Amino acid sequence: MKRYDAVTLEAKWQTRWEKDRLHEARDFDPRPKFYFLTMYPYPSGDLHIGHWYAMAPSDAAARWRRMQGNNVLFPIGFDAFGLPAENAAIQHGIHPYKWTMDNIARMRRQLRSMGAMWEWSREVVTCDPEYYVWNQWFFLKMYNRGLAYRALAPVDWCPKDHTTLAREQVVGEERVCERCGTPVIKKNLEQWFLKITAYADELLDFSGIEWPDRVRTLQENWIGKSLGVEFELKVQGHPGVSFRVFTTRPDTVYGMTFAVLAPEHPLVDQLTTPDRRADVEAYKFKAARQSDIERLSTEKERDGVPIGAFAINPMNGEHAPIFIADYVLLTYGTGAIQGVPAHDARDLDFARKYQLPIPVVVAPPGWDGRPLAEAYLGEGTMVNSGPFTGLSSREGWERIADYMEQRGIGQRKASYRLHDWLISRQRYWGTPIPIIYCSHCGTVPVPESDLPVRLPEDAEFLPTGESPLKLHEGFRRTRCPQCGGQAERETDTMDTFIDSSWYQYRYVSPHDTQRPFDPEVGRYWLPVDQYTGGVEHAVMHLLYTRFWTKVMRDLGMVGFGEPMLRLFNQGVILGEDGEKMSKSRGNVVNPDAYVNSVGADTVRAYLMFIGPWEGGGPWNSRGIEGVHRFLQRVWNLVHDTTETGKRGNGETRKHKARGPQPETRQSNDGHELQHWTHKTIKKVTEDLEGFHFNTAIAALMEFVNYMYKVKDEQAGATPWREAVRSLVLLLAPMTPHIAEELWASMGESYSVHQQGWPSYDATLARAELVTLVLQVDGKVRDRIQVPSGLTDAKAKEMALDNEKVRRFMDGRQVADIVVVPGRLVNVVTK
RNA sequence: GCGGAAGUGGCGGAACUGGCAGACGCGCAGGCCUCAGGAGCCUGUGGGGGCAACCCCGUGGGGGUUCAAAUCCCUCCUUCCGCACCA
């Protein structure tokens, strides 16, 4: 028998498939289209086992779709802009372009070894001007619609990477840079933003897409919508001066005993009285310094200082002292709040510290009129609230909101935690922002006809942290497109999440030079039917790409508002020690080593077998041997029974003496084998549909174990041939190379991957004999084999006749008999 | 603190809509084959009791619903993830 030499046969078939362009997706093909997309990799230089874990099951699912009769688009590309390339330039003097392209070349080879059905002719590389020109084009479209704007704002700055970051890229309690883990600091800078907040409400709507609840929840929390009322507080002794506060509790407005402005609030200077000036300045200085240092201070005591002015409660005209305090953030709501200590824990802390009154205005059920021990946040009956006294707080909320709206005091309003997307990066290796600053004309967009604004190739990469573009005179100095005078280019580049916000559209027609993609071809392929990738992108990439698609819809470029109909998040593969893989821990698994020993098919199948795909889990080098053993068994089984004259010798016949298992007893006519074939097809089909690769492979293992048991009596017969054919077809999506080789060795016509997915006969998939569980009072007492179509009456009869059932009934009367057809009979006694 | 997910053998995990707990694989044990094996094949493998047929217990803890609970409800514990002064 031929040896299973995975390494050789995998290389052979990969070459053949590529030569035959087997994986080409054809635009406008009449078969139903299926756009299957897996997140493109960053070209770090080495294909990690984590890439395999994300991509190999995706490939299996895409291949399965194709066998199901779909015209499948399964593209790949590289997320090629980003900091590591620039850092390599600074440290080793290699140009980012060269570093990136060398890595891509290396990763292409590694990716090919996976045997995936990617269509390389559609490859997209985002650092190619052919690609990033469209980033600039989109930017201009957004600029024209007011969706891209420049503003001075306190922004997050990573001191190690020397660049600003989007809020989404600052993570954890320590507020560290998502890329390098350095704590970020705040800086006031003029930066470019994209107005994602304009779509906040739409982004909360997930109807029409099947995304995991997990991602949905993360996005909802991130957007952080809360409904409330924004109303005006006039300032005593300052006619015409007022500020607005946002509250989700207008029902508590009668309990306001102070008001707080954020220390950076623009009215602070104007309202501060001379006697308070020194304290206020000192506090502002302290607050500014503190926000510049780490903000670990959740436990920190709440403090503030009065500014000497008083706000007038619009409901009852009472005067409330105005404070500044750093627990109020300028970046949320209006940067000012009403202080209602009885009904807000933070306000209560503050009021206690400064001995402010704490009147109760919403009485908890059964309240005895005494001061509350802690802030009461729940609903109750309104008290001390003028004409609203006596209403339920729920009702009072609405009535006070109505009152404020009628009198022009305030309006109902939604507030969001979501901020606009800061896209400026003070780095070289990204898309130049196509803007020119002219001393006469101001901010001028680069005309579309002048695109792309290319990155200069001769930039210098110095370890100073200064952006190379800023120091590049040839790039920076330019002419104003409007007046022709001397002008300067914007030297910041775009966040690389811009690239990934629309790459799925570029794959549709990756070489179109006239537009981001061909709308005709787009109408055929779009949107993405299935997207797969890690959950770490939940509030970054996955939120941005939804936003981008809605903008594209509003630009008339696509006829839908959601980029990906279904999303699946795979888990994370861990090191053998159960820890996250890292070089420093020394637990990194190198896929290439396994590919070169046991083959890509084994690595693929093992990663799918390890557990549910969404779960991830530790790598186990013994576990992979088990899967390799399985493929070896498949190989031997197919060869042993297809190579003529090799079966039925005395050696294999020996097993027969032991006697078949009960379920296989009557398998001589091949019926039982047929049943196994069909039930396995059913199981694998259903499992692949839901990405349950682990149980699909387990079912195939059971099938093979069964086939080994019966092969001496079955091999050569028609049901056997069907079983072997089905087995190979069912394996094809997951282990494409061995399936192709076995398919060829069976004399079937090339290619196994162009065959239809086997269908099953529901009747055959159902067993002829089923195990009926017999219970007495809910305890299993016996199991009997019965024909599958048994009537309930007959089942009852058989149960009552059963010797063990009778024994355990112990002479008691039958109270009830529960029958679950084909499964169990439970005899309940009195 | 708020929000989410999850707790099943020595390990990874399986179990449709409440109906045989532990499929499949790893590991372990015994056997066969072999000059040899860390290769291959076969058998066994949740815990406890029994010579055995068999019996009892068992899905994080406690309680409940039900003829029947890993699955549904209540409660507590643990772990992981996200957000965190968001007014």
Side-chain angles (χ1 to χ4, degrees), chain A residues 571-825:
Chain A
V572 178
I573 193 93
L574 303 172
E576 198 136 17
D577 54 2
E579 300 289 328
K580 198 169 177 254
M581 281 192 205
S582 71
K583 278 184 196 146
S584 56
R585 276 206 186 83
N587 61 353
V588 175
V589 172
N590 175 12
D592 293 356
Y594 285 97
V595 171
N596 293 328
S597 55
V598 290
D601 281 340
T602 295
V603 178
R604 292 170 59 109
Y606 172 65
L607 289 169
M608 293 183 229
F609 183 65
I610 203 166
W613 195 24
E614 62 269 35
W619 177 268
N620 180 325
S621 52
R622 302 302 293 268
I624 194 172
E625 287 169 29
V627 173
H628 189 60
R629 197 147 40 224
F630 165 65
L631 292 181
Q632 186 78 55
R633 275 165 66 79
V634 172
W635 176 273
N636 292 342
L637 183 73
V638 175
H639 277 90
D640 190 23
T641 58
T642 52
E643 290 169 22
T644 46
K646 289 246 178 117
R647 61 175 175 274
N649 58 29
E651 185 149 14
T652 43
R653 193 149 282 170
K654 233 190 242 173
H655 306 310
K656 239 170 129 184
R658 254 182 284 274
Q661 298 297 299
E663 204 179 353
T664 70
R665 185 159 293 136
Q666 22 178 291
S667 63
N668 292 332
D669 59 359
H671 250 77
E672 199 62 36
L673 177 58
Q674 247 187 329
H675 159 60
W676 266 91
T677 303
H678 284 253
K679 108 175 166 182
T680 305
I681 296 170
K682 181 170 190 284
K683 174 76 176 149
V684 173
T685 306
E686 289 165 358
D687 282 350
L688 290 188
E689 164 84 50
F691 298 123
H692 304 305
F693 303 103
N694 57 329
T695 47
I697 292 174
L700 288 166
M701 286 172 167
E702 282 186 83
F703 187 35
V704 168
N705 290 346
Y706 172 79
M707 287 174 76
Y708 263 86
K709 271 191 192 119
V710 300
K711 72 171 175 170
D712 294 316
E713 52 210 61
Q714 291 297 326
T718 309
W720 181 263
R721 180 139 189 100
E722 194 204 350
V724 173
R725 269 181 57 101
S726 304
L727 172 65
V728 173
L729 290 168
L730 295 178
L731 278 167
M734 295 181 279
T735 54
H737 311 89
I738 190 175
E740 190 78 283
E741 180 73 21
L742 291 174
W743 191 250
S745 79
M746 287 157 62
E748 299 281 357
S749 62
Y750 176 82
S751 156
V752 70
H753 302 295
Q754 288 170 316
Q755 305 304 311
W757 186 249
S759 56
Y760 61 89
D761 179 325
T763 315
L764 288 172
R766 205 169 51 232
E768 293 177 354
L769 284 181
V770 293
T771 306
L772 193 66
V773 172
L774 303 182
Q775 296 182 334
V776 176
D777 293 324
K779 293 203 172 192
V780 180
R781 295 308 180 186
D782 204 2
R783 299 181 171 103
I784 55 173
Q785 298 292 313
V786 300
S788 63
L790 198 71
T791 62
D792 287 8
K794 183 76 184 151
K796 282 184 189 177
E797 192 184 311
M798 289 177 80
L800 290 171
D801 279 352
N802 184 273
E803 181 206 333
K804 285 185 188 160
V805 169
R806 281 213 299 249
R807 171 140 55 92
F808 280 92
M809 281 174 65
D810 202 19
R812 291 187 300 274
Q813 294 278 298
V814 175
D816 193 14
I817 302 179
V818 181
V819 181
V820 182
R823 287 189 180 277
L824 120 174
V825 179

Side-chain angles (χ1 to χ4, degrees), chain A residues 198-214:
Chain A
Y199 291 86
D201 275 316
E202 241 200 290
L203 289 167
L204 284 169
D205 178 9
F206 293 85
S207 57
I209 54 174
E210 278 179 68
W211 281 28
D213 286 345
R214 171 114 190 271

Side-chain angles (χ1 to χ4, degrees), chain A residues 417-433:
Chain A
R417 218 184 67 101
L418 179 71
H419 284 59
D420 279 339
W421 176 11
L422 192 171
I423 59 156
S424 302
R425 297 292 177 273
Q426 291 69 45
R427 303 300 306 239
Y428 169 83
W429 197 230
T431 306
I433 295 174

Side-chain angles (χ1 to χ4, degrees), chain A residues 96-114:
Chain A
Y97 181 81
K98 182 175 165 38
W99 185 87
T100 303
M101 293 319 259
D102 286 353
N103 283 351
I104 288 176
R106 188 177 154 76
M107 285 179 80
R108 276 195 199 112
R109 279 199 300 277
Q110 292 173 309
L111 283 163
R112 282 191 162 95
S113 76
M114 201 184 287

Side-chain angles (χ1 to χ4, degrees), chain A residues 27-38:
Chain A
D27 298 340
F28 310 116
D29 186 283
R31 284 173 297 169
K33 69 96 181 180
F34 197 93
Y35 187 173
F36 199 117
L37 183 64
T38 187

